[in-house]
Amino acid sequence: MNRLSYDVVIAGGGFGGLVAAVSLANLGLDVAIVEPRAHTPEHALRGDLIHPRAVGALAALGLEEPLRGAGAAEIHGFAAYSTEGPPILLHYTGQPGIALEHRRIIDRLRATALSKPRIHLYEVRGVDVIRSEGRAVGLLCSDGMTLSSRLLVVADGRHSKLRTALGLSATSTVLSHSVGATVSAELLPHPSYGHVFAGTKGPILAYPLGDGFARVNVDVPMGSPRGRDALPEYLSTHFDAHMPRALLNAAVTAFGTQPLLGAANHAVITEACAVHGAVLLGDAGGASHPFTATGMTSAVNDAITLAAAVAQYGLCDRALVAYQRRRYRFVRVREAFAQGLYDIFRANDPATRALRNGLFRYWRSARGRRASMQLLAGEDSSARTFLTEYAHVVAATSGEAMAEARRDLALGPIVAAFRGLGFAGRTSVAITWERARMDVLGRSLDAIDRTGGSPRAVRAARINGTSDVGAAE
């Protein structure tokens, strides 16, 4: 049996694994990437859009320029279209984001990563974790080779099998399906913006990809037909009054003639992402609905957070505890924000329609647009900010629905948000609409910013023998 030794072994050579490899190699560590696929599966739909915070981090790693050289399009914000009223332009507050076909992103990042002498690629599959005295010390590969490591990074996606091998659990819920096709970017009303369309069912996300093309991703609810014959009718039926006519016609044609890209959308929640000698990274550590394009930004955050913890503490458990704490501080708010925004745009019961109208009313203020985009871009990951902004949206919904619906507006999403942030035990019907309008929720939120996630996540963060998750800080 062949056995090779590295400082770090990364199981998964997708976007997150490649960014992590470069981040750790820049610290002077020898890194092995284990990835069996030379290319992204032909008909798989993967992330194409990267928010500004992550673009800045990629630039610092020398990874932005290769993507721009491949023709990445600049994204300056989003044009949000409601079922009522004119669209709202939501601008990024700093540098632009970028978008590029996922396959081209991976090809460029892989070429850049492998140009570094400390990074090595093995085109095999990681099949099991090697342990010694309760610690992960390497990876068993599908060809029988064993790669030993001081740190194992599991970045093999939301359906990670190695996550289970590490003894870490995840709760996964299928939310919907996404189907994608390409059209001319000239059809986008705002050429350098992403476009969000609320229909009578799931939303549509459209954005430029570079080289004159744009991606149109349709969110198809569970149980709805999504084949080549069904999609054009689905679009015509549910978005006829909500999309510009030329763009809708082009999308109907594309979905009826092009090879379709598809993916199931999952919400994957983990409560711990570190054990002795190993961590989860990217979608292996959790995933949200792609409506807010949060996946690649979160993966970049994981990579730079892990590298920063290793730079501070070295390759030891103290670094892994610090990584876990800092990671969940960022991720928990993004999970709640992604799910909350998706729920607002997909549902069409009276209460949710009223809430969506309230959101658009709030976005007509400069403050509302700025705060929402800072949350979306990951520039503000404060739990206090998230629930304060939600309270503003509820306040803007005042008078649009009956008292019964208004109570649902406040309680349902706020309860869901608290659950996503780990405060299910503190949430009850005592949180009324009037209290939501006031910022009395803030007193409970300091704990989230201190712990970086849910109370259960904090407890789970205690890697054997570590008495307090905060000990590393």
Side-chain angles (χ1 to χ4, degrees):
M1 180 183 293
N2 296 327
R3 185 182 184 93
L4 298 171
S5 180
Y6 292 90
D7 294 314
V8 182
V9 170
I10 300 176
F15 180 78
L18 290 168
V19 177
V22 173
S23 300
L24 293 165
N26 284 353
L27 299 180
L29 302 174
D30 290 318
V31 179
I33 302 172
V34 176
E35 171 55 59
R37 296 180 297 191
H39 299 286
T40 301
E42 184 176 354
H43 298 300
L45 187 62
R46 300 287 186 266
D48 305 312
L49 200 155
I50 307 173
H51 291 303
R53 183 178 191 274
V55 173
L58 292 176
L61 294 171
L63 298 177
E64 179 194 16
E65 191 56 39
L67 300 184
R68 290 191 178 275
E74 283 196 350
I75 306 294
H76 292 272
F78 288 84
Y81 288 72
S82 178
T83 52
E84 301 177 17
I88 302 291
L89 280 184
L90 302 156
H91 307 283
Y92 285 130
T93 56
Q95 71 181 91
I98 59 174
L100 182 67
E101 185 181 21
H102 190 84
R103 183 190 296 263
R104 298 171 72 182
I105 291 176
I106 298 304
D107 287 347
R108 286 303 179 105
L109 291 187
R110 180 175 291 189
T112 304
L114 295 183
S115 70
K116 297 181 177 295
R118 291 188 176 276
I119 298 178
H120 311 269
L121 174 67
Y122 293 88
E123 292 187 351
V124 293
R125 185 179 302 279
V127 296
D128 203 0
V129 176
I130 304 300
R131 287 184 174 82
S132 176
E133 298 180 352
R135 183 180 186 83
V137 295
L139 185 67
L140 175 63
C141 300
S142 55
D143 63 353
M145 175 176 59
T146 297
L147 299 176
S148 62
S149 64
R150 298 167 63 194
L151 171 62
L152 174 63
V153 178
V154 171
D156 57 347
R158 62 191 178 191
H159 301 303
S160 172
K161 292 181 171 57
L162 293 174
R163 179 176 59 211
T164 302
L166 289 173
L168 296 173
S169 62
T171 300
S172 180
T173 305
V174 181
L175 301 173
S176 62
H177 291 86
S178 285
V179 185
T182 57
V183 299
S184 170
E186 294 179 354
L187 297 172
L188 296 177
H190 303 278
S192 61
Y193 284 74
H195 294 66
V196 179
F197 301 98
T200 57
K201 286 203 173 183
I204 286 180
L205 179 63
Y207 47 88
L209 277 178
D211 293 339
F213 293 100
R215 174 84 74 216
V216 178
N217 288 341
V218 179
D219 185 77
V220 183
M222 299 298 295
S224 297
R226 58 182 188 276
R228 184 182 305 283
D229 295 334
L231 275 169
E233 181 179 354
Y234 176 86
L235 285 173
S236 297
T237 300
H238 297 290
F239 290 90
D240 180 66
H242 312 305
M243 289 180 68
R245 176 57 54 184
L247 179 60
L248 176 62
N249 289 343
V252 167
T253 300
F255 281 106
T257 59
Q258 293 180 10
L260 299 179
L261 304 177
N265 300 319
H266 292 76
V268 180
I269 305 296
T270 61
E271 293 192 352
C273 61
V275 298
H276 282 302
V279 296
L280 306 177
L281 186 140
D283 284 353
S288 303
H289 191 283
F291 176 61
T292 55
T294 193
M296 292 203 291
T297 295
S298 291
V300 171
N301 182 75
D302 286 357
I304 62 176
T305 298
L306 177 61
V310 170
Q312 183 176 1
Y313 298 113
L315 287 173
C316 65
D317 282 349
R318 195 177 187 197
L320 308 191
V321 172
Y323 164 71
Q324 179 167 254
R325 179 183 182 184
R326 296 167 186 174
R327 177 185 186 272
Y328 281 128
R329 182 180 297 152
F330 180 82
V331 165
R332 289 302 184 214
V333 171
R334 294 198 66 75
E335 290 172 343
F337 180 76
Q339 186 62 46
L341 199 60
Y342 173 61
D343 286 342
I344 287 174
F345 268 82
R346 69 170 172 166
N348 271 281
D349 57 275
T352 308
R353 281 199 302 271
L355 185 61
R356 186 163 61 222
N357 291 338
L359 175 63
F360 272 74
R361 179 179 292 112
Y362 182 51
W363 279 346
R364 297 190 193 283
S365 72
R367 182 203 182 283
R369 294 193 299 271
R370 183 176 61 253
S372 293
M373 288 301 285
Q374 286 177 337
L375 284 168
L376 177 67
E379 296 169 1
D380 188 338
S381 58
S382 163
R384 178 187 294 275
T385 299
F386 167 71
L387 286 184
T388 297
E389 292 312 301
Y390 182 80
H392 280 297
V393 172
V394 172
T397 308
S398 170
E400 288 202 18
M402 299 180 301
E404 181 79 17
R406 195 161 57 205
R407 185 166 60 250
D408 292 339
L409 289 178
L411 292 179
I414 286 180
V415 168
F418 267 90
R419 284 176 178 163
L421 293 166
F423 278 80
R426 300 186 188 187
T427 308
S428 70
V429 293
I431 302 177
T432 63
W433 182 75
E434 288 77 11
R435 289 180 63 193
R437 290 186 63 183
M438 301 164 60
D439 193 18
V440 298
L441 298 175
R443 291 194 296 271
S444 299
L445 302 182
D446 287 335
I448 299 174
D449 287 328
R450 288 197 304 271
T451 62
S454 72
R456 287 188 296 171
V458 174
R459 291 195 294 272
R462 296 169 181 166
I463 301 174
N464 299 331
T466 304
S467 60
D468 188 342
V469 70
E473 303 274 271

